[in-house]
Amino acid sequence: MNFFKSRTKKSNQSANPEKEDLPNSTSLKENVTYLAEAFQRSSDLKFRVLEEGSAVLIYFESLADQEKIQDKFFKPYMQLTKDELMTKSSGRKMDKRKDVIQFLLKGHAAFAIDGSADIVLFSTTSTFNRSVDEPDNEKIVRGSHEGFIDNLMININLIRKRIENKNLTVNFSKLGEISATKVAVVYIDGIANPKIVKKVKDRLKTISVDYIISPGFIEEFIEDHAYSPFPQMINTERPDKTAANLLEGRVAILAEGSSTCLIAPATFFAFYQSPDDYNSRWFTGTFIRLIRLFSFIIAIGLPAFYISVVGFHFEVIPQDLVIPVKSSINDIAYPPIVEALVMVVIIELIREAGIRLPTPVGQTIGIVGGLVIGDAIVRAGLVSNFMIIVVALTAIASFVVPSNEMSTTLRLLTFPLIILSATLGFVGIVFGMLILLIHLSRMESFGSPYFSPLAPLHVKDLKDTFVRLPLFKMNNRPTDAKAVKKKTQGKSRGWITNARQKK
């Protein structure tokens, strides 16, 4: 037991990283001393002495489950000798120091004996998983109500349950020099384009950073246009949405410790699609999708349009509304641009407060705060009634988008268009929209056109863009995914032909 005395001596130097590639020593004292120094003598690293100091069990108290240690190690230990435990147990033998360190950090328990370079590791990882409930920010009316959680293996399990195919491929890697976050690249071999898969993997390999906390970190490192306000990868916590995109030929990226999945390549119109579009009948899905796409124009252009009308183009107001609009803005001391900016900022403050506060309080703040502030600010003569209506409609339109990232983008784009409209009127709005259209047309996501199927134009893909035609009409995968296998189905609804032939 003399090797434990060395643990009481504080050392400012950790184990030499170059020694991690070396094999374990046959001396138990050297192995224990090395592991103690490698982990900076952490207090949660436990050494349980056995066989009067000729054997030791090593594990992290914060990572290992005590019941699993009892079941997987001590029960066999009571029936076998230490030498038999090394050869007949279900544990994994490791003879390299770096392998032992890696598995200890995963929650395994290591059993070492004096005179042997082999260390046996037992799977004793403690797991705390929440239920696979539907994500709060991606709720739907019909369809699956499961969602990803913070466990990578469970998330992959949810995908494999939906795609029971041998070609579903999962490739693991680790990102972050210090965090060593486990990342999975998921795609369907034979459908996904190999060039896009290679591009995703190559970009992940180029990430050189100390830590990766979530897929949001990964997204910024590998997206094509880092300075564009538009998201270029789909973020989702829904397994059904992920599976549907994989079947279209896209690639998914998942990370340990996060419930968010990144999907590439993405298009602008993909952010306006929801599982409800396909779970409902096609004309219902089409109607809802058209409303969402129309909300894009309202969200970024309605305040700018109102400012242009009031400040430059009063003649476009219907005659019956001229007097109410004029009387509404007569007593306002500030120009319309100041009104709009103040109200948009107030809406953002209320929204942010509602998110950060506990749910019951946040909902109260959102409703009561909006009503009280809106009424008070109009009575005080700081903002007109019409501006309150315009900003409220703008906020509602931005929340219609199924993607939170795109919703944030729309709210950001409101500000430059407000400034342009206050400066040049309708000309400013047209100029801003033209710049926006050019930007969207030039963007790419992993080599795929971001504004497809409009730029470049693919007429066949329009059947699932502005409208959602019946599923039996969608015989091919989207062009933007660049899938190897284009066809998705054969002759559908053949029963109609058979019924006609029988007649």
Side-chain angles (χ1 to χ4, degrees):
M1 291 175 59
N2 292 331
F3 56 82
F4 279 101
K5 294 180 180 179
S6 63
R7 297 186 66 231
T8 60
K9 299 177 181 179
K10 299 294 182 182
S11 173
N12 294 327
Q13 295 181 348
S14 61
N16 190 346
E18 296 180 358
K19 293 183 179 180
E20 288 186 6
D21 288 331
L22 298 176
N24 299 322
S25 172
T26 55
S27 169
L28 181 60
K29 178 180 177 180
E30 288 184 17
N31 289 332
V32 170
T33 303
Y34 174 78
L35 291 174
E37 293 179 353
F39 291 111
Q40 301 291 324
R41 304 184 184 278
S42 295
S43 299
D44 60 339
L45 182 64
K46 298 299 179 183
F47 295 83
R48 296 186 65 170
V49 183
L50 307 167
E51 302 284 339
E52 297 182 352
S54 62
V56 64
L57 181 68
I58 311 165
Y59 60 91
F60 274 100
E61 189 178 26
S62 56
L63 296 176
D65 189 328
Q66 295 296 328
E67 292 184 5
K68 289 184 179 179
I69 292 176
Q70 185 69 27
D71 183 59
K72 294 190 176 183
F73 175 76
F74 280 107
K75 284 185 179 179
Y77 177 74
M78 298 299 292
Q79 301 171 2
L80 305 171
T81 65
K82 63 179 182 180
D83 294 321
E84 290 175 336
L85 194 63
M86 296 289 290
T87 56
K88 297 181 180 180
S89 69
S90 60
R92 303 174 62 177
K93 282 187 180 181
M94 297 291 175
D95 58 0
K96 290 287 186 68
R97 288 175 172 178
K98 64 177 183 180
D99 294 331
V100 175
I101 290 173
Q102 181 181 5
F103 278 90
L104 281 173
L105 287 171
K106 290 180 179 179
H108 287 58
F111 178 65
I113 63 174
D114 197 18
S116 175
D118 289 330
I119 294 180
V120 181
L121 291 122
F122 298 87
S123 178
T124 57
T125 306
S126 179
T127 56
F128 304 95
N129 296 321
R130 59 186 176 90
S131 60
V132 290
D133 294 330
E134 184 176 19
D136 290 333
N137 58 341
E138 292 184 88
K139 290 188 178 294
I140 62 172
V141 179
R142 296 176 62 182
S144 172
H145 294 283
E146 287 184 332
F148 288 138
I149 61 172
D150 303 330
N151 186 301
L152 178 60
M153 292 304 171
I154 292 178
N155 293 341
I156 295 174
N157 172 276
L158 292 172
I159 296 175
R160 285 199 176 275
K161 276 180 16 179
R162 288 164 172 79
I163 307 176
E164 296 181 0
N165 190 287
K166 61 183 178 62
N167 293 325
L168 180 64
T169 307
V170 180
N171 295 143
F172 291 112
S173 61
K174 289 191 175 180
L175 298 179
E177 299 295 332
I178 296 176
S179 64
T181 305
K182 193 173 185 179
V183 175
V185 176
V186 186
Y187 60 95
I188 301 178
D189 190 30
I191 296 181
N193 192 308
K195 292 182 180 179
I196 293 180
V197 174
K198 184 178 184 301
K199 191 173 290 188
V200 170
K201 291 180 179 179
D202 289 345
R203 292 187 186 184
L204 289 175
K205 289 178 183 177
T206 61
I207 298 177
S208 178
V209 66
D210 283 347
Y211 56 88
I212 293 291
I213 303 300
S214 69
F217 282 59
I218 300 174
E219 183 178 8
E220 290 197 24
F221 282 112
I222 66 175
E223 64 185 357
D224 292 74
H225 306 273
Y227 297 103
S228 172
F230 291 94
Q232 294 139 61
M233 301 182 73
I234 301 171
N235 286 258
T236 183
E237 296 182 21
R238 299 192 62 87
D240 56 344
K241 187 173 182 177
T242 303
N245 280 280
L246 290 174
L247 289 167
E248 287 185 349
R250 305 183 200 277
V251 181
I253 303 172
L254 300 100
E256 184 66 71
S258 175
S259 59
T260 301
C261 171
L262 299 177
I263 298 172
T267 66
F268 172 81
F269 296 101
F271 293 95
Y272 283 87
Q273 296 175 354
S274 168
D276 263 335
D277 296 349
Y278 307 94
N279 296 329
S280 306
R281 298 190 66 199
W282 70 271
F283 52 81
T284 305
T286 296
F287 174 69
I288 299 300
R289 185 175 294 181
L290 287 172
I291 289 177
R292 290 197 207 106
L293 290 169
F294 183 65
S295 72
F296 172 79
I297 304 298
I298 297 176
I300 68 172
L302 187 58
F305 178 80
Y306 175 78
I307 292 171
S308 297
V309 168
V310 171
F312 294 90
H313 310 283
F314 216 85
E315 67 276 3
V316 304
I317 301 177
Q319 188 173 0
D320 294 338
L321 285 178
V322 170
I323 296 176
V325 172
K326 184 67 176 175
S327 61
S328 175
I329 63 176
N330 264 346
D331 298 328
I332 306 301
Y334 306 102
I337 183 174
V338 176
E339 290 183 74
L341 291 176
V342 167
M343 286 308 303
V344 170
V345 171
I346 288 176
I347 289 290
E348 289 300 316
L349 289 173
I350 293 174
R351 174 184 170 276
E352 194 67 18
I355 293 174
R356 305 303 165 200
L357 290 170
T359 303
V361 180
Q363 292 176 349
T364 305
I365 289 291
I367 297 172
V368 177
L371 291 174
V372 172
I373 293 174
D375 182 66
I377 202 168
V378 170
R379 289 177 180 274
L382 300 177
V383 177
S384 66
N385 289 319
F386 280 93
M387 182 58 75
I388 293 289
I389 297 172
V390 167
V391 173
L393 288 175
T394 302
I396 293 171
S398 68
F399 296 143
V400 171
V401 190
S403 168
N404 182 61
E405 290 75 23
M406 184 59 75
S407 174
T408 304
T409 298
L410 299 185
R411 295 198 300 274
L412 288 174
L413 291 175
T414 304
F415 292 96
L417 281 176
I418 285 175
I419 295 172
L420 284 172
S421 65
T423 307
L424 301 171
F426 284 163
V427 176
I429 296 177
V430 172
F431 186 67
M433 289 292 189
L434 185 60
I435 293 176
L436 198 60
L437 184 61
I438 293 172
H439 176 67
L440 289 171
S441 300
R442 294 184 62 185
M443 282 179 61
E444 287 188 348
S445 174
F446 291 85
S448 295
Y450 188 72
F451 210 46
S452 178
L454 290 185
L457 181 63
H458 296 287
V459 178
K460 291 183 178 180
D461 287 350
L462 293 175
K463 63 179 67 176
D464 193 23
T465 304
F466 298 101
V467 298
R468 202 279 280 177
L469 293 185
L471 294 175
F472 57 82
K473 293 289 186 181
M474 301 181 191
N475 299 321
N476 298 312
R477 290 182 170 84
T479 307
D480 63 271
K482 296 185 177 181
V484 175
K485 185 181 178 183
K486 306 294 184 182
K487 203 79 171 175
T488 61
Q489 60 188 4
K491 186 178 181 181
S492 302
R493 292 176 67 85
W495 58 270
I496 296 178
T497 305
N498 296 334
R500 288 173 179 172
Q501 290 174 353
K502 289 179 181 180
K503 288 182 179 179

